[in-house]
Amino acid sequence: MARLLVFCESPADFETIQGLVDRVLREQGPDWVRELLEGPSEDARKGFRDWVPDGEGRGYFDLHKLATYANRLKLRVPQGHFAGRPGEAGALMGRTALLMARELALSGAEIDAVILVWDMDDQGTARRTGLDQASAEAQPLVSFDIVLGCPDPMREAWVLAGFEPQTEDERAALADMRQELGFNPCEEAHRLDAKKEHAKRSPKRVLDVLTASEHEREVRCWTEAPLVLLHARGTHSGLSTFLDKTAESLVPRLSGVPPRPLTQD
């Protein structure tokens, strides 16, 4: 059984990560993985891959609670430079998370991969660099794979990449939104850069309008849209990179074979 430890910011993030990881495993892994993950047995799916709980009732580790987790593990995190350079935004956070995962692994926890997903907000360049610094420092010291996810500006941009209107109301809503914004928010979600939730270019607002704030409709954006479409639309939002890294790291790790290329199917 493969055990995946996820660091993220919310239950919605974790739900999206789970869905995307399983999509990649099903569609870029060998046929037997697809059959297992699409089969009726939840026990069989968990027997193939499962998620490491945080010990506080979550199936993921909350990035906002790193200090609490570190204290529980009696972990002392070095505050110094990264390969001789000052840490960029998020580098210390990434170091803390990965040292925690290393400590858990050394204590006997089975961890095959760590997935760390953090919204870039308005600091994309600095945060990506900081996470890369932490990952580069940790990789020689750990046995697990490290997959970074950098939604730019936030998770909702990844979800919007999978929105394809299915009804007349949805087609009308998307047409109105394109006219209001001056671009298609599903094809260029990275341009939705407002931080206030109700601002014109807020990814949260746009997603709520297009999905009529229905959770089930939002979930369909990442579970039903072709993976190749998510990849094509996610070039600038960090989604393409996350999907690629997930395939390159997790498919061989969990199935023993290289990932298959994305196809229209």
Side-chain angles (χ1 to χ4, degrees):
M1 177 177 70
R3 300 267 285 171
L4 310 177
L5 188 157
V6 174
F7 289 98
C8 61
E9 299 181 81
S10 70
D13 290 354
F14 182 50
E15 182 181 30
T16 306
I17 293 162
Q18 287 178 295
L20 290 173
V21 167
D22 276 2
R23 288 288 306 276
V24 169
L25 293 175
R26 288 200 312 269
E27 298 179 36
Q28 295 189 255
D31 289 340
W32 66 266
V33 171
R34 177 195 289 267
E35 292 167 4
L36 188 154
L37 291 178
E38 292 181 351
S41 172
E42 178 61 25
D43 288 341
R45 286 191 289 275
K46 286 185 176 180
F48 171 65
R49 64 94 190 93
D50 205 1
W51 313 91
V52 179
D54 77 336
E56 298 184 1
R58 302 175 189 85
Y60 67 96
F61 284 70
D62 189 338
L63 284 172
H64 303 110
K65 295 177 64 64
L66 288 185
T68 301
Y69 298 138
N71 287 337
R72 191 173 76 198
L73 292 169
K74 297 180 172 58
L75 185 67
R76 297 185 64 180
V77 180
Q79 305 293 302
H81 285 32
F82 293 77
R85 299 178 61 86
E88 293 284 353
L92 184 58
M93 179 197 73
R95 173 186 277 166
T96 303
L98 295 172
L99 282 177
M100 282 174 43
R102 179 173 180 264
E103 184 66 22
L104 288 169
L106 291 173
S107 300
E110 182 183 347
I111 300 173
D112 291 280
V114 169
I115 301 169
L116 194 163
V117 176
W118 186 36
D119 286 349
M120 296 293 96
D121 295 332
D122 57 352
Q123 302 180 65
T125 300
R127 288 187 175 187
R128 279 189 292 272
T129 301
L131 292 182
D132 284 342
Q133 287 177 305
S135 178
E137 177 184 75
Q139 195 66 81
L141 307 175
V142 300
S143 59
F144 48 76
D145 285 300
I146 298 172
V147 177
L148 302 178
C150 302
D152 199 349
M154 58 186 64
R155 179 194 72 97
E156 285 77 7
W158 287 9
V159 181
L160 282 165
F163 181 84
E164 286 280 87
Q166 302 295 315
T167 65
E168 287 301 324
D169 285 346
E170 289 185 357
R171 281 187 278 273
L174 180 57
D176 289 345
M177 191 62 70
R178 290 182 66 168
Q179 184 173 16
E180 178 184 354
L181 296 170
F183 60 91
N184 187 330
C186 304
E187 296 176 356
E188 300 182 87
H190 63 285
R191 296 177 62 182
L192 298 170
D193 53 5
K195 295 184 70 174
K196 293 184 178 179
E197 286 194 22
H198 301 293
K200 176 180 175 179
R201 290 167 66 121
S202 162
K204 292 181 183 291
R205 180 191 77 90
V206 173
L207 182 61
D208 282 346
V209 170
L210 295 182
T211 62
S213 299
E214 294 180 3
H215 177 255
E216 183 274 336
R217 181 65 183 92
E218 181 179 327
V219 170
R220 285 165 52 200
C221 292
W222 68 79
T223 58
E224 295 184 3
L227 199 59
V228 69
L229 177 69
L230 293 172
H231 192 279
R233 288 179 168 180
T235 301
H236 299 290
S237 67
L239 178 55
S240 303
T241 300
F242 177 73
L243 294 174
D244 287 341
K245 183 62 176 175
T246 297
E248 292 164 6
S249 297
L250 300 191
V251 171
R253 184 88 179 200
L254 275 64
S255 72
V257 299
R260 295 190 293 195
L262 283 174
T263 66
Q264 290 290 345
D265 297 332

